[in-house]
């Protein structure tokens, strides 16, 4: 059950103050009956709510894929820095989405935002070992020895030994292009993993999370809603 003013505000009919004006104007109906009290509770799954005769399409959750740009932090709000939520349109912000996990300020690429806490937990739980794939440019020559080291797990600067990671060398040289897949998310993990083998990450972009690849048509800072198929994929609902 939801308060009628919260429901309408969440569905984009205005601020709570604006919604109260709609209610006072008598243009909001529940199952054909006019409702003027903002505190009225409704069940949007079972009751028909209309505004100006138009049925309110209820959706409790929002699922967004963003190509996070550099220079923006993975947070819902910050007093100083621009956040990924600041990049959203107001019609999407009203759902109070939050980033699923985090990408460093200078890292770009695939970031999911949702208000579905259950899905977020499923994707972030260490027990689930959800793989995350990144493209990186490394200052230094990445070798097969590094591939083997990553496969075994490397010891970070704080003594933590990482779980096995898959390192693919795309191009090796004074600057190397690589792809790396990890199943955990320690602070600055990929940067610290390369640090452990004497190299430095100069560019990092996440291109896949679990079964979901980044939509390459999204420019940095752009985002879109996930399709029903993509949501099912993330939830594991289409497994045979």
């Amino acid at each position: 059950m939801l308060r009628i003013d919260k429901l309408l505000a969440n569905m984009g009919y205005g601020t709570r103050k604006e919604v109260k004006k709609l209610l006072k104007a008598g243009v909001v109906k529940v199952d054909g009956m006019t409702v003027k009290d903002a505190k009225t509770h409704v069940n949007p799954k079972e009751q028909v709510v209309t505004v100006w005769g138009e049925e309110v399409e209820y959706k409790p959750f929002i699922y967004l894929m963003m190509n996070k740009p550099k220079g923006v932090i993975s947070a819902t709000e910050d007093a100083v820095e621009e956040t990924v939520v600041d990049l959203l349109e107001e019609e999407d912000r009203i759902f109070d989405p939050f980033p699923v996990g985090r990408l460093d300020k200078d890292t770009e690429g695939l970031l999911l935002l949702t208000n579905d806490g259950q899905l977020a937990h499923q994707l972030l739980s260490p027990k689930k070992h959800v793989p995350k794939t990144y493209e990186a440019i490394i200052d230094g020559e990445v070798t097969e020895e590094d591939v083997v080291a990553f496969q075994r797990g490397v010891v970070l600067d704080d003594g933590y030994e990482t779980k096995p990671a898959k390192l693919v060398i795309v191009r090796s040289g004074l600057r190397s292009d690589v792809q790396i897949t990890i199943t955990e998310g320690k602070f600055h993990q990929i940067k610290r993993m390369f640090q452990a083998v004497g190299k430095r990450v100069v560019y990092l972009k996440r291109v896949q999370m679990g079964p979901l690849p980044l939509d390459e048509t999204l420019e940095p800072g752009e985002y879109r809603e996930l399709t029903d198929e993509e949501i099912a994929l993330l939830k594991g609902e289409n497994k045979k």
Side-chain angles (χ1 to χ4, degrees):
M1 298 288 283
L2 279 174
R3 275 178 52 143
I4 188 75
D5 59 347
K6 180 171 173 60
L7 168 68
L8 294 178
N10 281 4
M11 294 303 106
Y13 284 88
T15 62
R16 290 279 187 105
K17 194 174 181 181
E18 289 165 341
V19 165
K20 280 178 181 172
K21 287 181 181 176
L22 288 176
L23 288 161
K24 281 183 181 176
V27 299
V28 179
K29 293 185 178 182
V30 178
D31 291 337
M33 303 288 288
T34 301
V35 172
K36 293 191 174 185
D37 185 356
K39 295 177 183 175
T40 302
H41 281 77
V42 296
N43 184 338
K45 290 182 180 178
E46 295 179 3
Q47 294 177 287
V48 177
V49 180
T50 60
V51 178
W52 298 106
E54 179 186 290
E55 188 172 338
V56 176
E57 187 182 345
Y58 173 67
K59 59 175 183 177
F61 297 122
I62 190 168
Y63 303 92
L64 305 171
M65 175 196 293
M66 176 182 287
N67 184 356
K68 178 195 163 302
K70 284 183 181 180
V72 177
I73 64 170
S74 300
T76 52
E77 57 183 333
D78 190 272
V80 179
E81 305 277 7
E82 184 179 29
T83 74
V84 289
V85 170
D86 292 332
L87 299 178
L88 302 180
E89 298 289 339
E90 179 60 33
E91 64 195 49
D92 297 315
R93 277 206 300 268
I94 57 174
F95 286 91
D96 295 325
F98 52 87
V100 179
R102 63 189 296 280
L103 289 177
D104 299 335
K105 183 178 177 180
D106 60 352
T107 299
E108 56 188 66
L110 174 60
L111 185 68
L112 298 175
L113 295 102
T114 185
N115 57 352
D116 184 342
Q118 191 173 344
L119 176 63
H121 174 73
Q122 185 180 322
L123 292 171
L124 296 175
S125 171
K127 294 178 183 176
K128 299 288 185 182
H129 305 299
V130 174
K132 295 170 279 288
T133 301
Y134 297 77
E135 291 175 350
I137 298 174
I138 309 301
D139 186 10
E141 187 175 351
V142 179
T143 66
E144 288 301 326
E145 285 179 5
D146 297 325
V147 173
V148 173
F150 276 44
Q151 179 56 45
R152 287 178 180 156
V154 298
V155 178
L156 303 182
D157 48 12
D158 60 358
Y160 176 80
E161 185 173 345
T162 67
K163 289 185 170 59
K166 183 181 179 183
L167 175 60
V168 176
I169 301 172
V170 178
R171 185 182 62 83
S172 185
L174 293 177
R175 283 222 164 171
S176 301
D177 297 333
V178 301
Q179 192 176 74
I180 180 170
T181 302
I182 59 175
T183 58
E184 49 190 345
K186 299 296 177 185
F187 182 67
H188 290 322
Q189 181 167 337
I190 291 178
K191 293 173 184 175
R192 292 164 70 204
M193 287 178 78
F194 277 102
Q195 229 172 23
V197 294
K199 297 176 179 70
R200 187 170 66 91
V201 175
V202 294
Y203 171 80
L204 192 61
K205 177 182 181 180
R206 183 157 66 194
V207 294
Q208 187 155 340
M209 186 171 187
L212 188 69
L214 174 65
D215 182 341
E216 292 292 351
T217 66
L218 292 174
E219 294 292 331
E222 289 185 343
Y223 69 95
R224 66 166 173 80
E225 286 200 54
L226 294 185
T227 64
D228 290 342
E229 290 77 15
E230 288 170 332
I231 296 167
L233 198 63
L234 284 175
K235 291 183 176 180
E237 293 173 352
N238 56 354
K239 289 179 182 175
K240 292 181 180 178

